[in-house]
Amino acid sequence: MSGAATPLMQQYREIKARHQDAILFFRMGDFYEMFYDDAETASRVLGLTLTSRNNGGAAEVPLAGIPVKAAAEYLRRLVGQGHRVAVCEQVEDPKLAKGLVKREVVETITPGAVFADDLLDGARANYVCAIATGRETARDGDRTQIGVAAADLSTGELRLAIVSAADAPALIARIAPRELLVVRGSTDDALARAIGVADQALVTEREPWEFDAQMAADDLTRQFDVRGLDGFGLGSMDGAAVGAAGALLRYLRELQPGGLPHLARPVIERPGGVMPLDEMTRRNLELVESLRGGELAGTLLSVMDRTATPMGQRLLRQWLLAPLLERARIEERLDAVTVLVRDPVGRAALRDALDGVRDIERLASKAAAGRATPRELRALGDSLGRLPRVATAARGVRDHVAQGSANGGVLGLLLAEWDDGADCAERLTRMLVERPPLAIGDEDTIAPGID
């Protein structure tokens, strides 16, 4: 990319230089344009016509473009084939711009960092994962410890795990990350074995200093506005997991310049809490995939899955892949099953209350991250508005047969911390029309009488 350039192409070059590992969608009016190697890649992968643009000099610049309104399908195809896409928008009104319109990358979309429904599977989490090694001091000497941090950007879930080197492959196989961050140039055998099971993941190498535990601890305390990590149950022996979390946070912030306001406080997983199941065991038991290769048919998940919401579907999958080992937690789940089995009428009422509840986890995350459309915001409000009915039905089941069942087990624990989100539901349903458009400006969005 040498030679004289127009001001527009100079702006493109400056932005592209900061996103060299991604295909840059460069907004120009109603189109996203791609230039140079990006245009040639898009032409090959998407079947676009490759044209050229005069660069202000002797060179002709390869060019391919797509309409903004059709971008979702092209994004799906590019990300599905493992490409990163940096979306560069016009961040000022062209009519008010003095000279060149200001443009900025507002997000970078990768297989592990997406919000759009058509890029996600509603039945399973979409993790981007970082993995690092540390040393654990034991009576028989130091042992390699594997720290894993996994985030689902679409729901805000953040999980940290500390496992032995022998159990790390089973953990990575269970998480099944779409994208995996690793230390650049690492030659650790234990790390290589863990990475090896994630054969479908896009592997991204990061610099070793990004996995520094002390720097990561500072990043985590700032992200969650806490004084230290003790409240999360993290200590000096958890450096590998903390380091992995720091690298993951730094990477996600690069992808989402607007920040990560929807990221939940981390859930910590330690050895002994769940049973590590290696890939061969999971396949032979046909938990979520049959021996014939089918994703659901003939599996334990297909037999058990009668969930009414996408959140329940994802949770059931996680539970089947990570059987509990702690008796108290097992009893809590069994107590909840007991009260639901003993009250078929109440169970039917609970299912009826859940009917119409959309994917609140993902809708809320989109709203917090500023990615929700008017229609999605209304769907969130309507779904939250159904939660009082859900809570009433669940309390009815628990109170009907909870005697001798530890107050309903997990069901009782959930109800003890229940929050309907009534204030959010009221504001969303009051301020938006009943059927908002997909985008602001297409039709009326704000309800009459609302300023």
Side-chain angles (χ1 to χ4, degrees):
M1 292 188 288
S2 61
T6 64
L8 177 70
M9 291 307 299
Q10 183 61 35
Q11 182 189 52
Y12 168 83
R13 290 180 181 183
E14 291 172 356
I15 295 173
K16 176 62 181 177
R18 298 193 292 271
H19 301 274
Q20 296 184 28
D21 62 344
I23 294 173
L24 184 63
F25 275 21
F26 190 74
R27 180 74 176 264
M28 294 177 63
D30 293 331
F31 285 81
Y32 287 122
E33 304 287 6
M34 290 157 282
F35 301 101
Y36 299 105
D37 291 345
D38 289 353
E40 293 174 359
T41 299
S43 174
R44 182 177 64 255
V45 174
L46 302 175
L48 301 176
T49 300
L50 191 65
T51 59
S52 62
R53 174 188 178 91
N54 191 290
N55 191 28
E60 291 290 324
V61 177
L63 165 68
I66 58 171
V68 170
K69 289 188 175 181
E73 173 59 20
Y74 293 110
L75 273 171
R76 185 188 65 79
R77 290 164 61 186
L78 284 170
V79 174
Q81 294 196 39
H83 294 283
R84 296 178 175 86
V85 180
V87 181
C88 180
E89 295 286 1
Q90 296 173 172
V91 294
E92 65 176 337
D93 189 333
K95 296 178 182 178
L96 303 178
K98 295 180 180 180
L100 198 61
V101 177
K102 186 177 180 181
R103 292 176 172 86
E104 292 179 1
V105 170
V106 297
E107 68 174 326
T108 301
I109 302 170
T110 74
V114 297
F115 283 100
D117 290 339
D118 52 0
L119 298 176
L120 294 165
D121 182 347
R124 59 193 302 171
N126 193 77
Y127 289 118
V128 54
C129 183
I131 182 169
T133 57
R135 301 299 293 175
E136 176 188 22
T137 301
R139 292 180 180 178
D140 55 350
D142 289 353
R143 290 195 295 259
T144 299
Q145 181 189 64
I146 302 293
V148 176
D152 184 344
L153 204 61
S154 71
T155 64
E157 179 187 8
L158 175 62
R159 307 186 73 87
L160 305 187
I162 302 96
V163 295
S164 67
D167 289 339
L171 173 65
I172 296 299
R174 165 161 57 93
I175 293 174
R178 294 290 309 281
E179 193 169 357
L180 191 61
L181 310 182
V182 301
V183 179
R184 188 184 305 278
S186 173
T187 57
D188 191 291
D189 290 340
L191 205 59
R193 286 192 294 273
I195 296 169
V197 301
D199 56 347
Q200 300 298 315
L202 172 65
V203 176
T204 301
E205 291 188 335
R206 305 290 287 184
E207 296 302 324
W209 63 265
E210 297 184 47
F211 292 80
D212 178 75
Q214 184 55 57
M215 187 172 68
D218 294 339
D219 285 344
L220 285 168
T221 55
R222 284 194 296 269
Q223 172 68 32
F224 298 108
D225 194 22
V226 295
R227 291 188 176 182
L229 302 182
D230 295 351
F232 298 146
L234 294 168
S236 58
M237 302 299 294
D238 302 321
V242 173
L248 181 59
L249 274 180
R250 176 177 291 273
Y251 180 67
L252 292 178
R253 290 195 189 109
E254 290 178 6
L255 302 183
Q256 301 291 322
L260 305 166
H262 66 301
L263 203 63
R265 294 193 172 198
V267 175
I268 313 301
E269 183 178 318
R270 296 190 179 280
V274 299
M275 184 184 301
L277 302 176
D278 59 38
E279 184 177 9
M280 186 65 69
T281 300
R282 290 186 296 110
R283 289 182 64 86
N284 286 338
L285 292 176
E286 295 188 297
L287 298 179
V288 298
E289 183 178 352
S290 73
L291 290 173
R292 296 182 298 277
E295 180 65 20
L296 280 178
T299 65
L300 181 60
L301 181 60
S302 69
V303 173
M304 295 186 66
D305 188 4
R306 298 295 181 269
T307 53
T309 68
M311 296 88 75
Q313 199 172 19
R314 292 193 293 269
L315 183 61
L316 178 60
R317 181 187 179 90
Q318 290 179 10
W319 282 4
L320 288 179
L321 291 174
L324 293 176
L325 293 176
E326 299 173 6
R327 178 167 181 165
R329 295 182 63 196
I330 294 172
E331 295 288 358
E332 287 172 353
R333 285 189 190 172
L334 292 177
D335 287 341
V337 171
T338 297
V339 297
L340 289 165
V341 168
R342 290 180 180 175
D343 186 7
V345 174
R347 188 171 71 249
L350 181 56
R351 290 188 63 84
D352 182 63
L354 286 167
D355 185 36
V357 175
R358 299 273 298 279
D359 197 334
I360 292 177
E361 280 184 329
R362 286 181 170 167
L363 289 172
S365 290
K366 281 186 180 180
R371 296 284 186 269
T373 68
R375 188 170 297 176
E376 288 169 336
L377 286 175
R378 178 68 198 215
L380 176 60
D382 291 340
S383 296
L384 290 174
R386 297 188 68 88
L387 293 189
R389 287 185 57 196
V390 175
T392 298
R395 289 190 182 98
V397 173
R398 178 200 62 186
D399 297 341
H400 183 67
V401 289
Q403 293 80 5
S405 298
N407 202 27
V410 173
L411 193 60
L413 295 175
L414 288 173
L415 290 171
E417 300 178 353
W418 189 268
D419 181 356
D420 288 327
D423 54 339
C424 290
E426 190 275 333
R427 289 185 65 192
L428 288 168
T429 54
R430 176 174 58 87
M431 298 180 74
L432 297 173
V433 297
E434 187 174 354
R435 298 181 183 278
L438 283 172
I440 291 176
D442 291 351
E443 301 172 27
D444 288 342
T445 297
I446 306 300
I450 298 295
D451 187 346

